[in-house]
Amino acid sequence: MNPSLFPSDKVFTVSELNEIIKEILEGTFPAITLEGEISNYRPNSSGHLYFNLKDSGSVISAVMFRYSAAYLDFIPKDGTKVQATGKLSVYGPQGKYQIVITKMTVAGEGAVLKMIEERKRRLSTEGLFDESRKRKLPLFPRTIGVVTSPTGAALRDILQITKRRNKCVSVIVFPTLVQGDGAAENIVQQIQNANNAKLCDVLIVGRGGGSLEDLLPFSEECVVRAISQSEIPVVSAVGHEIDWALSDYAADKRAPTPSAAAELCVPQLSDIMQTLRFYQNELYSGVTMRVEKTKLMVKAFDPDNLELKFRSIEQPLLVRFDNAKDDLMQNISRKLQDTRRFIENCATILENASPQVILDRGYSMVREKSTQKIIRDGTQIAAGAEIEIIPAKGKITAVVTQAK
């Protein structure tokens, strides 16, 4: 809609004017990408994000609805510089215009993230991030080393928490640059100094929060290698919980914040004392119970009770012995009876199988006289041959007159 088409003397309502502005603005800028800094960030409970985008000279209202905000790969916060893509929109009832954002990334971080991811893959293939390399932190460290800025809030937090948790633990500060030119080399030098002098039992390497560029020294290859080569166990504590650096992967432990690193490294003295008191009481109770039990056992073996005690032990054994003896004699007797019965059965079988017994029943044995060969079949002998017939008693000689 072209505003020049309207006569100058036409009177518009406010709603009509806002509608015309909305049509012109939204029709002219269907999609646009802005770069600016987030301010007045106000997330809504429904998931929508409301904030302003500003630069050194101007501010524009912005909104990112829930379905678009779900795809963000970072947590927006005031002061973050971003690139936002969306459409301009006019809210008629209030006569305000804003940008409805559909896509948003941290400005300038894309190339840095790509470089860090490539470095992470390369160092990972060398095994610098392997879990098998990581060591346990000392249970009772005497000295904590801290490689960080001597003026940063991270060091103050670590010192306060260490003092509160355990006054017996000392802290040695290895001051270093934590951002900017030369920071990575400075960090490496202090890690090496701590190892060469063996000044501490565990080493915290880190700093407070910042932008990705601010945290970049802790992702430098030289720092990653220095941490992986450290003979002293290292805890990486870079930034806030959502921040990360390659030092987190190379270190033996990763803490979400410097404060958490102090809590991870420094045991709570009150907890240690409570545990010691618990084991002291357990030991005292155990020894007391054992002594009392021993006293009762000794008391039970006085002269008056000794014989009774002996009899109480001996009697059950004697009963068991008598029972075993009776069982043994019964088993032997039963075995002898079974064996005697078996022998008698065998003798009966043998006697019944004796040739004399068979002859006594009326049977006779016939054999050829000349060869003494037993004749079992009539075809085995010829007519006219002499045979001997052996009955139960005596012997009969005969001549065969017919054989079949």
Side-chain angles (χ1 to χ4, degrees):
M1 182 180 295
N2 189 346
S4 62
L5 298 178
F6 298 102
S8 59
D9 58 348
K10 179 174 176 59
V11 178
F12 295 94
T13 65
V14 175
S15 297
E16 288 175 338
L17 180 59
N18 282 339
E19 188 65 30
I20 293 172
I21 294 173
K22 178 178 181 180
E23 184 177 348
I24 294 174
L25 194 61
E26 294 182 358
T28 305
F29 300 96
I32 190 170
T33 299
L34 297 179
E35 182 171 295
E37 183 179 304
I38 294 177
S39 66
N40 196 23
Y41 177 65
R42 310 178 307 281
N44 187 275
S45 60
S46 61
H48 306 318
L49 308 180
Y50 298 94
F51 52 93
N52 295 332
L53 286 178
K54 68 176 184 177
D55 57 19
S56 58
S58 299
V59 176
I60 183 174
S61 297
V63 60
M64 193 172 194
F65 294 118
R66 180 177 57 191
Y67 56 82
S68 298
Y71 292 97
L72 285 176
D73 58 1
F74 70 100
I75 299 177
K77 57 185 177 181
D78 287 348
T80 303
K81 192 175 182 180
V82 297
Q83 285 188 353
T85 301
K87 297 177 64 177
L88 290 177
S89 174
V90 176
Y91 184 55
Q94 294 183 5
K96 293 182 179 180
Y97 80 97
Q98 62 184 357
I99 180 170
V100 180
I101 298 172
T102 57
K103 180 180 179 183
M104 186 165 64
T105 59
V106 178
E109 287 193 353
V112 176
L113 283 173
K114 183 177 180 181
M115 179 269 293
I116 293 177
E117 288 294 339
E118 188 281 328
R119 183 179 296 165
K120 178 184 174 183
R121 286 192 295 271
R122 179 165 52 82
L123 296 178
S124 179
T125 57
E126 296 184 27
L128 298 186
F129 304 150
D130 290 351
E131 286 296 324
S132 59
R133 293 184 56 261
K134 301 185 184 300
R135 297 160 294 181
K136 292 184 178 180
L137 302 183
L139 190 59
F140 300 110
R142 298 173 62 89
T143 305
I144 304 294
V146 183
V147 178
T148 190
S149 170
T151 60
L155 178 59
R156 292 196 298 271
D157 292 342
I158 291 173
L159 293 175
Q160 289 174 359
I161 291 174
T162 301
K163 183 178 180 180
R164 186 185 74 233
R165 289 177 66 86
N166 196 331
K167 295 180 179 180
C168 299
V169 176
S170 303
V171 178
I172 295 180
V173 181
F174 298 89
T176 179
L177 297 173
V178 293
Q179 67 184 68
D181 295 337
E185 291 75 12
N186 203 186
I187 295 170
V188 170
Q189 184 61 52
Q190 293 295 44
I191 293 174
Q192 292 173 348
N193 290 341
N195 277 271
N196 292 337
K198 298 186 179 353
L199 295 175
C200 54
D201 302 308
V202 62
L203 198 60
I204 298 175
V205 179
R207 56 156 291 164
S211 66
L212 186 62
E213 290 82 359
D214 293 339
L215 306 181
L216 192 57
F218 293 90
S219 293
E220 293 292 343
E221 183 173 339
C222 59
V223 173
V224 174
R225 293 190 182 279
I227 290 175
S228 66
Q229 294 167 3
S230 174
E231 296 180 3
I232 302 172
V234 176
V235 176
S236 176
V238 180
H240 301 301
E241 189 166 357
I242 61 173
D243 298 322
W244 64 277
L246 294 185
S247 60
D248 295 337
Y249 298 94
D252 297 289
K253 288 288 183 180
R254 185 255 180 185
T257 62
S259 299
E263 294 180 351
L264 189 65
C265 295
V266 181
Q268 183 80 35
L269 182 59
S270 60
D271 292 344
I272 296 173
M273 297 305 297
Q274 183 177 356
T275 302
L276 289 176
R277 284 192 293 269
F278 170 77
Y279 285 120
Q280 180 186 25
N281 294 333
E282 286 287 305
L283 179 61
Y284 180 79
S285 300
V287 171
T288 302
M289 185 180 300
R290 183 64 62 87
V291 170
E292 294 298 326
K293 185 177 181 181
T294 304
K295 288 181 179 179
L296 291 174
M297 291 178 62
V298 172
K299 185 178 180 180
F301 285 95
D302 60 10
D304 295 334
N305 295 330
L306 186 59
E307 183 179 0
L308 180 61
K309 186 71 174 179
F310 177 76
R311 293 300 182 188
S312 65
I313 297 173
E314 179 190 38
Q315 195 62 35
L317 296 177
L318 291 175
V319 172
R320 288 179 59 189
F321 176 78
D322 291 339
N323 292 337
K325 182 181 68 174
D326 293 342
D327 290 342
L328 180 62
M329 295 302 296
Q330 291 178 5
N331 288 338
I332 292 175
S333 177
R334 189 180 303 109
K335 190 69 176 178
L336 288 174
Q337 291 177 3
D338 292 343
T339 303
R340 186 180 295 109
R341 191 177 298 108
F342 176 76
I343 293 173
E344 290 175 353
N345 290 337
C346 292
T348 301
I349 293 172
L350 289 175
E351 288 177 357
N352 292 336
S354 171
Q356 186 62 46
V357 172
I358 296 174
L359 293 177
D360 289 341
R361 294 175 185 168
Y363 294 96
S364 298
M365 181 176 62
V366 180
R367 63 188 179 190
E368 189 178 359
K369 183 178 181 180
S370 60
T371 61
Q372 296 293 298
K373 181 179 180 180
I374 302 299
I375 299 172
R376 295 181 175 83
D377 190 340
T379 59
Q380 291 181 303
I381 193 70
E386 284 187 304
I387 59 174
E388 290 179 342
I389 300 172
I390 310 299
K393 292 182 179 180
K395 180 170 62 174
I396 302 170
T397 300
V399 177
V400 177
T401 60
Q402 186 179 2
K404 294 183 181 179

